[in-house]
PDB file of all heavy atoms in Angstrom:
ATOM      1  N   ILE O   4       5.857   7.998  -3.803  1.00 94.00           N
ATOM      2  CA  ILE O   4       4.549   7.357  -3.784  1.00 94.00           C
ATOM      3  C   ILE O   4       3.936   7.142  -5.230  1.00 94.00           C
ATOM      4  O   ILE O   4       3.535   6.014  -5.512  1.00 94.00           O
ATOM      5  CB  ILE O   4       3.603   8.039  -2.877  1.00 94.00           C
ATOM      6  CG1 ILE O   4       3.981   7.837  -1.448  1.00 94.00           C
ATOM      7  CG2 ILE O   4       2.114   7.543  -3.092  1.00 94.00           C
ATOM      8  CD1 ILE O   4       3.147   8.693  -0.398  1.00 94.00           C
ATOM      9  N   PRO O   5       3.892   8.144  -6.040  1.00 96.00           N
ATOM     10  CA  PRO O   5       3.230   7.878  -7.347  1.00 96.00           C
ATOM     11  C   PRO O   5       4.061   6.872  -8.262  1.00 96.00           C
ATOM     12  O   PRO O   5       3.431   6.243  -9.110  1.00 96.00           O
ATOM     13  CB  PRO O   5       3.322   9.283  -8.035  1.00 96.00           C
ATOM     14  CG  PRO O   5       3.534  10.267  -6.948  1.00 96.00           C
ATOM     15  CD  PRO O   5       4.227   9.547  -5.871  1.00 96.00           C
ATOM     16  N   TYR O   6       5.342   6.748  -8.062  1.00 94.00           N
ATOM     17  CA  TYR O   6       6.145   5.790  -8.803  1.00 94.00           C
ATOM     18  C   TYR O   6       6.098   4.382  -8.285  1.00 94.00           C
ATOM     19  O   TYR O   6       6.274   3.411  -9.069  1.00 94.00           O
ATOM     20  CB  TYR O   6       7.588   6.282  -8.815  1.00 94.00           C
ATOM     21  CG  TYR O   6       7.739   7.666  -9.469  1.00 94.00           C
ATOM     22  CD1 TYR O   6       7.953   8.775  -8.663  1.00 94.00           C
ATOM     23  CD2 TYR O   6       7.709   7.817 -10.876  1.00 94.00           C
ATOM     24  CE1 TYR O   6       8.050  10.057  -9.205  1.00 94.00           C
ATOM     25  CE2 TYR O   6       7.824   9.067 -11.379  1.00 94.00           C
ATOM     26  CZ  TYR O   6       8.043  10.182 -10.563  1.00 94.00           C
ATOM     27  OH  TYR O   6       8.130  11.413 -11.178  1.00 94.00           O
ATOM     28  N   ILE O   7       5.837   4.252  -6.967  1.00 95.00           N
ATOM     29  CA  ILE O   7       5.744   2.926  -6.389  1.00 95.00           C
ATOM     30  C   ILE O   7       4.422   2.377  -6.455  1.00 95.00           C
ATOM     31  O   ILE O   7       4.202   1.251  -6.866  1.00 95.00           O
ATOM     32  CB  ILE O   7       6.278   3.002  -4.889  1.00 95.00           C
ATOM     33  CG1 ILE O   7       7.673   3.537  -4.798  1.00 95.00           C
ATOM     34  CG2 ILE O   7       6.169   1.601  -4.246  1.00 95.00           C
ATOM     35  CD1 ILE O   7       8.154   3.859  -3.405  1.00 95.00           C
ATOM     36  N   GLY O   8       3.431   3.074  -6.052  1.00 96.00           N
ATOM     37  CA  GLY O   8       2.069   2.551  -6.046  1.00 96.00           C
ATOM     38  C   GLY O   8       1.853   1.574  -4.875  1.00 96.00           C
ATOM     39  O   GLY O   8       2.752   1.491  -4.025  1.00 96.00           O
ATOM     40  N   GLU O   9       0.755   0.886  -4.890  1.00 97.00           N
ATOM     41  CA  GLU O   9       0.440  -0.077  -3.783  1.00 97.00           C
ATOM     42  C   GLU O   9       1.327  -1.296  -3.920  1.00 97.00           C
ATOM     43  O   GLU O   9       1.600  -1.728  -5.121  1.00 97.00           O
ATOM     44  CB  GLU O   9      -0.989  -0.428  -3.779  1.00 97.00           C
ATOM     45  CG  GLU O   9      -1.910   0.691  -3.333  1.00 97.00           C
ATOM     46  CD  GLU O   9      -3.302   0.218  -2.992  1.00 97.00           C
ATOM     47  OE1 GLU O   9      -3.605  -0.899  -3.167  1.00 97.00           O
ATOM     48  OE2 GLU O   9      -4.084   1.116  -2.647  1.00 97.00           O
ATOM     49  N   VAL O  10       1.720  -1.859  -2.876  1.00 98.00           N
ATOM     50  CA  VAL O  10       2.558  -3.085  -2.854  1.00 98.00           C
ATOM     51  C   VAL O  10       2.074  -4.137  -1.928  1.00 98.00           C
ATOM     52  O   VAL O  10       1.280  -3.806  -1.003  1.00 98.00           O
ATOM     53  CB  VAL O  10       4.098  -2.752  -2.463  1.00 98.00           C
ATOM     54  CG1 VAL O  10       4.659  -1.741  -3.493  1.00 98.00           C
ATOM     55  CG2 VAL O  10       4.134  -2.143  -1.053  1.00 98.00           C
ATOM     56  N   ASP O  11       2.480  -5.375  -2.113  1.00 98.00           N
ATOM     57  CA  ASP O  11       2.087  -6.432  -1.256  1.00 98.00           C
ATOM     58  C   ASP O  11       3.055  -6.534  -0.065  1.00 98.00           C
ATOM     59  O   ASP O  11       2.641  -6.768   1.079  1.00 98.00           O
ATOM     60  CB  ASP O  11       2.115  -7.760  -2.010  1.00 98.00           C
ATOM     61  CG  ASP O  11       1.087  -7.817  -3.108  1.00 98.00           C
ATOM     62  OD1 ASP O  11      -0.107  -7.569  -2.861  1.00 98.00           O
ATOM     63  OD2 ASP O  11       1.433  -8.010  -4.228  1.00 98.00           O
ATOM     64  N   ILE O  12       4.347  -6.285  -0.343  1.00 97.00           N
ATOM     65  CA  ILE O  12       5.371  -6.403   0.665  1.00 97.00           C
ATOM     66  C   ILE O  12       6.253  -5.092   0.683  1.00 97.00           C
ATOM     67  O   ILE O  12       6.661  -4.647  -0.445  1.00 97.00           O
ATOM     68  CB  ILE O  12       6.315  -7.557   0.435  1.00 97.00           C
ATOM     69  CG1 ILE O  12       5.496  -8.914   0.447  1.00 97.00           C
ATOM     70  CG2 ILE O  12       7.448  -7.611   1.475  1.00 97.00           C
ATOM     71  CD1 ILE O  12       6.336 -10.132  -0.070  1.00 97.00           C
ATOM     72  N   LEU O  13       6.524  -4.539   1.807  1.00 95.00           N
ATOM     73  CA  LEU O  13       7.297  -3.389   1.889  1.00 95.00           C
ATOM     74  C   LEU O  13       8.477  -3.656   2.914  1.00 95.00           C
ATOM     75  O   LEU O  13       8.136  -3.976   4.063  1.00 95.00           O
ATOM     76  CB  LEU O  13       6.499  -2.150   2.361  1.00 95.00           C
ATOM     77  CG  LEU O  13       7.330  -0.896   2.673  1.00 95.00           C
ATOM     78  CD1 LEU O  13       7.959  -0.370   1.358  1.00 95.00           C
ATOM     79  CD2 LEU O  13       6.399   0.202   3.243  1.00 95.00           C
ATOM     80  N   LYS O  14       9.664  -3.503   2.469  1.00 92.00           N
ATOM     81  CA  LYS O  14      10.803  -3.499   3.350  1.00 92.00           C
ATOM     82  C   LYS O  14      10.907  -2.125   3.916  1.00 92.00           C
ATOM     83  O   LYS O  14      11.072  -1.126   3.138  1.00 92.00           O
ATOM     84  CB  LYS O  14      12.095  -3.853   2.662  1.00 92.00           C
ATOM     85  CG  LYS O  14      13.294  -3.998   3.601  1.00 92.00           C
ATOM     86  CD  LYS O  14      14.522  -3.560   2.857  1.00 92.00           C
ATOM     87  CE  LYS O  14      15.573  -2.959   3.708  1.00 92.00           C
ATOM     88  NZ  LYS O  14      15.428  -1.621   4.144  1.00 92.00           N
ATOM     89  N   LEU O  15      10.739  -2.016   5.214  1.00 90.00           N
ATOM     90  CA  LEU O  15      10.742  -0.596   5.794  1.00 90.00           C
ATOM     91  C   LEU O  15      12.066   0.151   5.511  1.00 90.00           C
ATOM     92  O   LEU O  15      13.176  -0.541   5.612  1.00 90.00           O
ATOM     93  CB  LEU O  15      10.588  -0.732   7.300  1.00 90.00           C
ATOM     94  CG  LEU O  15       9.222  -1.212   7.702  1.00 90.00           C
ATOM     95  CD1 LEU O  15       9.141  -1.489   9.228  1.00 90.00           C
ATOM     96  CD2 LEU O  15       8.084  -0.247   7.347  1.00 90.00           C
ATOM     97  N   GLY O  16      11.986   1.362   5.187  1.00 83.00           N
ATOM     98  CA  GLY O  16      13.137   2.149   4.892  1.00 83.00           C
ATOM     99  C   GLY O  16      13.999   2.415   6.136  1.00 83.00           C
ATOM    100  O   GLY O  16      13.469   2.486   7.258  1.00 83.00           O
ATOM    101  N   HIS O  17      15.307   2.404   5.893  1.00 78.00           N
ATOM    102  CA  HIS O  17      16.273   2.737   6.925  1.00 78.00           C
ATOM    103  C   HIS O  17      16.042   1.913   8.265  1.00 78.00           C
ATOM    104  O   HIS O  17      16.024   2.535   9.368  1.00 78.00           O
ATOM    105  CB  HIS O  17      16.255   4.236   7.220  1.00 78.00           C
ATOM    106  CG  HIS O  17      17.650   4.709   7.660  1.00 78.00           C
ATOM    107  ND1 HIS O  17      17.889   6.026   7.778  1.00 78.00           N
ATOM    108  CD2 HIS O  17      18.782   4.085   7.997  1.00 78.00           C
ATOM    109  CE1 HIS O  17      19.132   6.154   8.238  1.00 78.00           C
ATOM    110  NE2 HIS O  17      19.704   5.016   8.357  1.00 78.00           N
ATOM    111  N   HIS O  18      15.881   0.607   8.146  1.00 71.00           N
ATOM    112  CA  HIS O  18      15.787  -0.274   9.307  1.00 71.00           C
ATOM    113  C   HIS O  18      14.592   0.083  10.257  1.00 71.00           C
ATOM    114  O   HIS O  18      14.591  -0.247  11.363  1.00 71.00           O
ATOM    115  CB  HIS O  18      17.127  -0.308  10.041  1.00 71.00           C
ATOM    116  CG  HIS O  18      18.294  -0.514   9.305  1.00 71.00           C
ATOM    117  ND1 HIS O  18      18.621  -1.719   8.763  1.00 71.00           N
ATOM    118  CD2 HIS O  18      19.276   0.372   8.863  1.00 71.00           C
ATOM    119  CE1 HIS O  18      19.753  -1.507   7.991  1.00 71.00           C
ATOM    120  NE2 HIS O  18      20.149  -0.346   8.081  1.00 71.00           N
ATOM    121  N   GLY O  19      13.569   0.785   9.685  1.00 71.00           N
ATOM    122  CA  GLY O  19      12.402   1.118  10.492  1.00 71.00           C
ATOM    123  C   GLY O  19      12.599   2.321  11.362  1.00 71.00           C
ATOM    124  O   GLY O  19      11.757   2.633  12.188  1.00 71.00           O
ATOM    125  N   TYR O  20      13.683   3.152  11.176  1.00 69.00           N
ATOM    126  CA  TYR O  20      13.948   4.331  11.941  1.00 69.00           C
ATOM    127  C   TYR O  20      12.805   5.300  11.811  1.00 69.00           C
ATOM    128  O   TYR O  20      12.038   5.325  10.865  1.00 69.00           O
ATOM    129  CB  TYR O  20      15.215   5.054  11.518  1.00 69.00           C
ATOM    130  CG  TYR O  20      16.528   4.445  11.929  1.00 69.00           C
ATOM    131  CD1 TYR O  20      16.525   3.215  12.672  1.00 69.00           C
ATOM    132  CD2 TYR O  20      17.712   4.933  11.500  1.00 69.00           C
ATOM    133  CE1 TYR O  20      17.738   2.650  13.039  1.00 69.00           C
ATOM    134  CE2 TYR O  20      18.978   4.361  11.936  1.00 69.00           C
ATOM    135  CZ  TYR O  20      18.909   3.208  12.681  1.00 69.00           C
ATOM    136  OH  TYR O  20      20.132   2.638  12.996  1.00 69.00           O
ATOM    137  N   SER O  21      12.611   6.136  12.814  1.00 72.00           N
ATOM    138  CA  SER O  21      11.565   7.126  12.892  1.00 72.00           C
ATOM    139  C   SER O  21      11.685   8.190  11.752  1.00 72.00           C
ATOM    140  O   SER O  21      10.704   8.900  11.394  1.00 72.00           O
ATOM    141  CB  SER O  21      11.494   7.823  14.200  1.00 72.00           C
ATOM    142  OG  SER O  21      12.724   8.514  14.507  1.00 72.00           O
ATOM    143  N   SER O  22      12.830   8.329  11.141  1.00 74.00           N
ATOM    144  CA  SER O  22      13.008   9.335  10.084  1.00 74.00           C
ATOM    145  C   SER O  22      12.445   8.827   8.705  1.00 74.00           C
ATOM    146  O   SER O  22      12.477   9.482   7.703  1.00 74.00           O
ATOM    147  CB  SER O  22      14.444   9.727   9.918  1.00 74.00           C
ATOM    148  OG  SER O  22      15.246   8.564   9.600  1.00 74.00           O
ATOM    149  N   SER O  23      12.003   7.570   8.746  1.00 85.00           N
ATOM    150  CA  SER O  23      11.484   6.972   7.551  1.00 85.00           C
ATOM    151  C   SER O  23      10.080   6.362   7.872  1.00 85.00           C
ATOM    152  O   SER O  23       9.615   6.358   9.014  1.00 85.00           O
ATOM    153  CB  SER O  23      12.354   5.807   7.074  1.00 85.00           C
ATOM    154  OG  SER O  23      13.679   6.278   6.864  1.00 85.00           O
ATOM    155  N   ASN O  24       9.371   5.933   6.838  1.00 90.00           N
ATOM    156  CA  ASN O  24       8.126   5.158   7.004  1.00 90.00           C
ATOM    157  C   ASN O  24       7.054   6.063   7.653  1.00 90.00           C
ATOM    158  O   ASN O  24       6.439   5.597   8.630  1.00 90.00           O
ATOM    159  CB  ASN O  24       8.366   3.867   7.817  1.00 90.00           C
ATOM    160  CG  ASN O  24       9.627   3.143   7.351  1.00 90.00           C
ATOM    161  OD1 ASN O  24       9.620   2.678   6.215  1.00 90.00           O
ATOM    162  ND2 ASN O  24      10.638   3.087   8.168  1.00 90.00           N
ATOM    163  N   THR O  25       6.804   7.180   7.027  1.00 91.00           N
ATOM    164  CA  THR O  25       5.805   8.076   7.595  1.00 91.00           C
ATOM    165  C   THR O  25       4.448   7.447   7.476  1.00 91.00           C
ATOM    166  O   THR O  25       4.216   6.613   6.511  1.00 91.00           O
ATOM    167  CB  THR O  25       5.800   9.425   6.875  1.00 91.00           C
ATOM    168  OG1 THR O  25       5.565   9.203   5.452  1.00 91.00           O
ATOM    169  CG2 THR O  25       7.104  10.193   7.103  1.00 91.00           C
ATOM    170  N   PRO O  26       3.440   7.784   8.274  1.00 93.00           N
ATOM    171  CA  PRO O  26       2.126   7.253   8.101  1.00 93.00           C
ATOM    172  C   PRO O  26       1.507   7.537   6.726  1.00 93.00           C
ATOM    173  O   PRO O  26       0.857   6.601   6.161  1.00 93.00           O
ATOM    174  CB  PRO O  26       1.292   8.084   9.177  1.00 93.00           C
ATOM    175  CG  PRO O  26       2.264   8.438  10.209  1.00 93.00           C
ATOM    176  CD  PRO O  26       3.580   8.709   9.471  1.00 93.00           C
ATOM    177  N   GLU O  27       1.739   8.659   6.103  1.00 94.00           N
ATOM    178  CA  GLU O  27       1.326   8.915   4.781  1.00 94.00           C
ATOM    179  C   GLU O  27       1.847   7.935   3.743  1.00 94.00           C
ATOM    180  O   GLU O  27       1.145   7.467   2.842  1.00 94.00           O
ATOM    181  CB  GLU O  27       1.579  10.355   4.356  1.00 94.00           C
ATOM    182  CG  GLU O  27       0.949  11.433   5.207  1.00 94.00           C
ATOM    183  CD  GLU O  27       1.773  11.791   6.522  1.00 94.00           C
ATOM    184  OE1 GLU O  27       2.892  11.171   6.656  1.00 94.00           O
ATOM    185  OE2 GLU O  27       1.238  12.579   7.254  1.00 94.00           O
ATOM    186  N   TYR O  28       3.101   7.652   3.866  1.00 94.00           N
ATOM    187  CA  TYR O  28       3.763   6.738   2.965  1.00 94.00           C
ATOM    188  C   TYR O  28       3.273   5.330   3.160  1.00 94.00           C
ATOM    189  O   TYR O  28       2.921   4.634   2.168  1.00 94.00           O
ATOM    190  CB  TYR O  28       5.277   6.765   3.337  1.00 94.00           C
ATOM    191  CG  TYR O  28       6.201   5.843   2.587  1.00 94.00           C
ATOM    192  CD1 TYR O  28       6.533   6.111   1.320  1.00 94.00           C
ATOM    193  CD2 TYR O  28       6.825   4.783   3.250  1.00 94.00           C
ATOM    194  CE1 TYR O  28       7.485   5.294   0.586  1.00 94.00           C
ATOM    195  CE2 TYR O  28       7.703   3.974   2.623  1.00 94.00           C
ATOM    196  CZ  TYR O  28       8.003   4.247   1.275  1.00 94.00           C
ATOM    197  OH  TYR O  28       8.979   3.398   0.598  1.00 94.00           O
ATOM    198  N   LEU O  29       3.132   4.872   4.343  1.00 95.00           N
ATOM    199  CA  LEU O  29       2.603   3.483   4.611  1.00 95.00           C
ATOM    200  C   LEU O  29       1.167   3.358   4.122  1.00 95.00           C
ATOM    201  O   LEU O  29       0.828   2.376   3.574  1.00 95.00           O
ATOM    202  CB  LEU O  29       2.726   3.180   6.096  1.00 95.00           C
ATOM    203  CG  LEU O  29       4.146   3.036   6.603  1.00 95.00           C
ATOM    204  CD1 LEU O  29       4.099   2.854   8.181  1.00 95.00           C
ATOM    205  CD2 LEU O  29       4.943   2.007   5.955  1.00 95.00           C
ATOM    206  N   TYR O  30       0.355   4.390   4.403  1.00 97.00           N
ATOM    207  CA  TYR O  30      -1.048   4.378   4.016  1.00 97.00           C
ATOM    208  C   TYR O  30      -1.196   4.283   2.462  1.00 97.00           C
ATOM    209  O   TYR O  30      -1.973   3.518   1.910  1.00 97.00           O
ATOM    210  CB  TYR O  30      -1.760   5.632   4.505  1.00 97.00           C
ATOM    211  CG  TYR O  30      -3.256   5.597   4.179  1.00 97.00           C
ATOM    212  CD1 TYR O  30      -4.166   4.811   4.880  1.00 97.00           C
ATOM    213  CD2 TYR O  30      -3.706   6.395   3.127  1.00 97.00           C
ATOM    214  CE1 TYR O  30      -5.453   4.895   4.532  1.00 97.00           C
ATOM    215  CE2 TYR O  30      -5.050   6.407   2.779  1.00 97.00           C
ATOM    216  CZ  TYR O  30      -5.969   5.619   3.505  1.00 97.00           C
ATOM    217  OH  TYR O  30      -7.259   5.649   3.128  1.00 97.00           O
ATOM    218  N   ALA O  31      -0.363   5.105   1.779  1.00 97.00           N
ATOM    219  CA  ALA O  31      -0.460   5.154   0.295  1.00 97.00           C
ATOM    220  C   ALA O  31       0.095   3.839  -0.386  1.00 97.00           C
ATOM    221  O   ALA O  31      -0.538   3.376  -1.365  1.00 97.00           O
ATOM    222  CB  ALA O  31       0.409   6.305  -0.175  1.00 97.00           C
ATOM    223  N   LEU O  32       1.105   3.289   0.195  1.00 97.00           N
ATOM    224  CA  LEU O  32       1.655   1.986  -0.399  1.00 97.00           C
ATOM    225  C   LEU O  32       0.823   0.854   0.031  1.00 97.00           C
ATOM    226  O   LEU O  32       0.753  -0.228  -0.651  1.00 97.00           O
ATOM    227  CB  LEU O  32       3.091   1.802   0.059  1.00 97.00           C
ATOM    228  CG  LEU O  32       4.108   2.400  -0.876  1.00 97.00           C
ATOM    229  CD1 LEU O  32       3.885   3.900  -1.186  1.00 97.00           C
ATOM    230  CD2 LEU O  32       5.506   2.092  -0.441  1.00 97.00           C
ATOM    231  N   ASN O  33       0.096   0.919   1.157  1.00 98.00           N
ATOM    232  CA  ASN O  33      -0.891  -0.110   1.597  1.00 98.00           C
ATOM    233  C   ASN O  33      -0.378  -1.512   1.572  1.00 98.00           C
ATOM    234  O   ASN O  33      -0.976  -2.436   1.020  1.00 98.00           O
ATOM    235  CB  ASN O  33      -2.197   0.054   0.772  1.00 98.00           C
ATOM    236  CG  ASN O  33      -3.368  -0.695   1.323  1.00 98.00           C
ATOM    237  OD1 ASN O  33      -3.433  -0.926   2.528  1.00 98.00           O
ATOM    238  ND2 ASN O  33      -4.224  -1.148   0.488  1.00 98.00           N
ATOM    239  N   PRO O  34       0.808  -1.813   2.133  1.00 97.00           N
ATOM    240  CA  PRO O  34       1.365  -3.156   2.083  1.00 97.00           C
ATOM    241  C   PRO O  34       0.560  -4.159   2.944  1.00 97.00           C
ATOM    242  O   PRO O  34       0.008  -3.826   3.946  1.00 97.00           O
ATOM    243  CB  PRO O  34       2.754  -2.974   2.647  1.00 97.00           C
ATOM    244  CG  PRO O  34       2.644  -1.820   3.560  1.00 97.00           C
ATOM    245  CD  PRO O  34       1.673  -0.855   2.925  1.00 97.00           C
ATOM    246  N   ASP O  35       0.534  -5.363   2.539  1.00 98.00           N
ATOM    247  CA  ASP O  35       0.041  -6.472   3.304  1.00 98.00           C
ATOM    248  C   ASP O  35       0.971  -6.914   4.350  1.00 98.00           C
ATOM    249  O   ASP O  35       0.567  -7.355   5.453  1.00 98.00           O
ATOM    250  CB  ASP O  35      -0.376  -7.658   2.400  1.00 98.00           C
ATOM    251  CG  ASP O  35      -1.517  -7.306   1.460  1.00 98.00           C
ATOM    252  OD1 ASP O  35      -2.429  -6.608   1.800  1.00 98.00           O
ATOM    253  OD2 ASP O  35      -1.461  -7.862   0.282  1.00 98.00           O
ATOM    254  N   TYR O  36       2.279  -6.820   4.020  1.00 97.00           N
ATOM    255  CA  TYR O  36       3.315  -7.297   4.914  1.00 97.00           C
ATOM    256  C   TYR O  36       4.436  -6.214   4.979  1.00 97.00           C
ATOM    257  O   TYR O  36       4.763  -5.626   3.968  1.00 97.00           O
ATOM    258  CB  TYR O  36       3.952  -8.635   4.390  1.00 97.00           C
ATOM    259  CG  TYR O  36       3.031  -9.742   4.314  1.00 97.00           C
ATOM    260  CD1 TYR O  36       2.386 -10.076   3.112  1.00 97.00           C
ATOM    261  CD2 TYR O  36       2.694 -10.510   5.471  1.00 97.00           C
ATOM    262  CE1 TYR O  36       1.477 -11.085   3.079  1.00 97.00           C
ATOM    263  CE2 TYR O  36       1.739 -11.503   5.454  1.00 97.00           C
ATOM    264  CZ  TYR O  36       1.179 -11.793   4.217  1.00 97.00           C
ATOM    265  OH  TYR O  36       0.182 -12.794   4.177  1.00 97.00           O
ATOM    266  N   LEU O  37       4.960  -6.082   6.181  1.00 94.00           N
ATOM    267  CA  LEU O  37       6.124  -5.139   6.411  1.00 94.00           C
ATOM    268  C   LEU O  37       7.294  -6.066   6.789  1.00 94.00           C
ATOM    269  O   LEU O  37       7.126  -6.951   7.651  1.00 94.00           O
ATOM    270  CB  LEU O  37       5.850  -4.159   7.436  1.00 94.00           C
ATOM    271  CG  LEU O  37       4.695  -3.172   7.198  1.00 94.00           C
ATOM    272  CD1 LEU O  37       4.399  -2.331   8.441  1.00 94.00           C
ATOM    273  CD2 LEU O  37       5.049  -2.285   6.045  1.00 94.00           C
TER     274      LEU O  37
END
């Protein structure tokens, strides 16, 4: 998170699997589009 910062577009990690894309991660990156 500290290295990425906020983004406009986020390609979900690992095809959107539940082992990726935690709520904390999504909230911190704050993407406009997934």
Side-chain angles (χ1 to χ4, degrees):
I4 289 170
Y6 299 102
I7 301 169
E9 291 192 1
V10 298
D11 298 302
I12 301 171
L13 175 64
K14 183 212 150 288
L15 292 172
H17 209 173
H18 311 285
Y20 284 0
S21 61
S22 59
S23 302
N24 314 297
T25 61
E27 297 85 3
Y28 178 72
L29 296 175
Y30 182 80
L32 271 53
N33 193 29
D35 294 322
Y36 299 97
L37 298 171

